[in-house]
Amino acid sequence: MSDLDIRPTVRECGGRADVTAQPVRELLTGRDMPLGESTVVRRLLPTLGRRMIGAWCFVDHYGPDDIVDKPGMQVPPHPHTGLQTVSWLRQGEILHNDSLGSSQVLTPGALGLMTAGRGISHSEQTPRSHAPLLHGAQLWVALPDEHRHVAPAWEYHQGTPVDHGSGVTSTVILGEFANVTSPGTTYSPLVGVALDVAGGTSTNLPLERDFEYAALAMHGRVDIDGVPVEPGSLLYLGSGRSRLPVEATHDGAVMLLGGEPFEEKLLMWWNFIGRTDDEVRRYRDQWQQRDPRFGEVDSYDGARLSAPPFPDLPLKPRGRTR
C-alpha cells in the first residue's frame, strides 16, 4: 500500500505524553485520497486530530466499489521502511508482488502482512480477471526502534482465527483477542480484529485496560459505546477500558484496532518511517537512485513510482495529536 499524495506532509508521531488514561469518544471522519489510477480511499489515520493508535499509524478504508468495467486498484512499485503493511479484504482480490520475489493474490478474510524493516518495495493490483466489487482496508504498523531494521519479509495467512459469540464474529487479524491469537508476526503489543456484528446484537467485548483503541467502520451502522459509527469514520476510544459495549440494529462490520501507546517519536513522510529528517531524506534519495536497499519488483510490467520532492522545511515536533 502506498501514500500517493504528491505533497505528503512531514509528521512526527508517537510518544505517550498526549495519551489520556481515561476513555474518550472522539469520532474522526476520513478524507478522500486517490490511490493509483482508479481507486479512491478514505484516509482515517493520520489526521490533524489523531496520528497513532498504539503502533497503528496509517489507516485507509476503500469501497465497496463497483469495478466491473474498471481496472480497480493499480499501484506501481513503491518503497517502505520501518513499518509493517496490513492488507485486509471484505470483497474482491488484490495481487501483491514485492522485491523479495513474493507474488500472492489476496482474498477476503486472509491476512497479507509485509514487514518492510530496513527496506522493501512492492506493487498492488486488482487482477485482470476480478470480482465485481472491491472493499477493504490497508493499514501500517510502526516498528519500534529495536526492530525497525529487521530483514524484510512477506506473510500470507489464509485461515486467520475466528471467535463466535454473542452475535459477534471476531476474526483476529493481528495480536490476541478473547484468547484467540493471530499467526501474524508482531513487534509490539497490539491487536487488530474484524468484527462482523449481527443485527439485534447487544454485547460487551473484552479489552486490555493498558491499550488505547479505535473502531473503524467498514459496513452498515454499529453503535460503539453508544456512539453510532458508519463507514467513512473512525471512533477513537482512548484507554482505561476493560469492556466495550457494542450494539447493532442491522448487520454491520467494524475493525477494532488497539495497542499499547507507542512510546517512541517517529517521523513519517510519504512511504517511509524513520526517526530523523536526515534519515528519511536518505531513504528518498536511495529510492530515486535505485539503491539495492529496496530491491526491484521484477514481476511488475510498468514504471515504478517516483518519490515526491522533499520539502525544504525544518521539522516541528507535533506528537500524537494536534
Side-chain angles (χ1 to χ4, degrees):
M1 73 201 57
S2 176
D3 180 358
L4 300 189
D5 192 343
I6 62 173
R7 289 183 291 273
T9 302
V10 177
R11 298 181 175 92
E12 186 170 330
C13 307
R16 294 175 181 261
D18 299 312
V19 181
T20 175
Q22 302 299 319
V24 297
R25 300 175 186 86
E26 180 183 3
L27 191 62
L28 306 172
T29 56
R31 58 191 178 104
D32 289 348
M33 298 287 295
L35 184 71
E37 298 176 5
S38 58
T39 301
V40 174
V41 301
R42 289 171 286 280
R43 182 144 305 156
L44 293 147
L45 199 73
T47 70
L48 287 176
R50 182 65 49 189
R51 296 194 174 91
M52 295 189 78
I53 304 156
W56 301 95
C57 59
F58 184 95
V59 176
D60 278 352
H61 173 235
Y62 54 90
D65 295 326
D66 184 345
I67 58 170
V68 171
D69 298 316
K70 299 176 183 177
M73 185 177 294
Q74 299 293 326
V75 182
H78 57 278
H80 289 292
T81 59
L83 56 86
Q84 291 177 291
T85 66
V86 178
S87 298
W88 184 257
L89 284 171
R90 285 184 60 84
Q91 294 171 290
E93 307 90 19
I94 293 177
L95 172 62
H96 164 96
N97 288 303
D98 64 39
S99 53
L100 302 176
S102 313
S103 184
Q104 178 68 57
V105 176
L106 306 177
T107 56
L111 168 63
L113 177 64
M114 187 180 75
T115 300
R118 61 176 176 258
I120 198 171
S121 57
H122 74 140
S123 62
E124 297 152 297
Q125 300 171 271
T126 298
R128 190 164 299 170
S129 176
H130 56 258
L133 295 176
L134 181 63
H135 183 199
Q138 303 199 60
L139 313 97
W140 295 356
V141 176
L143 293 174
D145 190 62
E146 62 180 314
H147 298 297
R148 67 189 183 98
H149 296 299
V150 298
W154 166 253
E155 299 176 37
Y156 180 69
H157 300 286
Q158 181 66 55
T160 45
V162 177
D163 177 70
H164 301 276
S166 303
V168 179
T169 299
S170 307
T171 305
V172 185
I173 301 168
L174 278 184
E176 181 180 339
F177 180 78
N179 297 317
V180 177
T181 303
S182 165
T185 302
T186 58
Y187 293 89
S188 60
L190 57 78
V191 67
V193 189
L195 304 172
D196 286 283
V197 185
T201 293
S202 179
T203 189
N204 284 279
L205 301 178
L207 299 184
E208 297 286 341
R209 290 188 65 85
D210 292 338
F211 281 18
E212 58 177 340
Y213 288 92
L216 166 65
M218 296 290 289
H219 166 71
R221 166 182 158 169
V222 180
D223 289 2
I224 305 293
D225 198 17
V227 179
V229 184
E230 298 181 348
S233 61
L234 178 81
L235 179 64
Y236 178 71
L237 296 161
S239 56
R241 300 171 183 267
S242 58
R243 310 292 292 181
L244 181 64
V246 173
E247 297 184 358
T249 303
H250 305 286
D251 291 354
V254 299
M255 290 183 72
L256 182 67
L257 307 173
E260 285 189 359
F262 200 77
E263 186 170 6
E264 304 165 28
K265 289 292 185 78
L266 54 84
L267 176 63
M268 290 176 56
W269 180 81
W270 196 47
N271 294 295
F272 305 122
I273 291 184
R275 296 299 186 274
T276 67
D277 176 79
D278 288 345
E279 183 179 34
V280 175
R281 287 177 188 271
R282 182 169 68 253
Y283 293 154
R284 184 215 178 260
D285 291 343
Q286 288 173 331
W287 172 249
Q288 293 298 94
Q289 296 162 9
R290 307 188 85 99
D291 188 278
R293 171 188 289 271
F294 299 107
E296 297 287 345
V297 184
D298 295 327
S299 53
Y300 184 82
D301 183 17
R304 65 184 200 158
L305 286 178
S306 181
F310 202 97
D312 186 20
L313 295 171
L315 299 183
K316 297 180 180 179
R318 295 189 236 174
R320 305 173 56 81
T321 60
R322 63 183 170 195

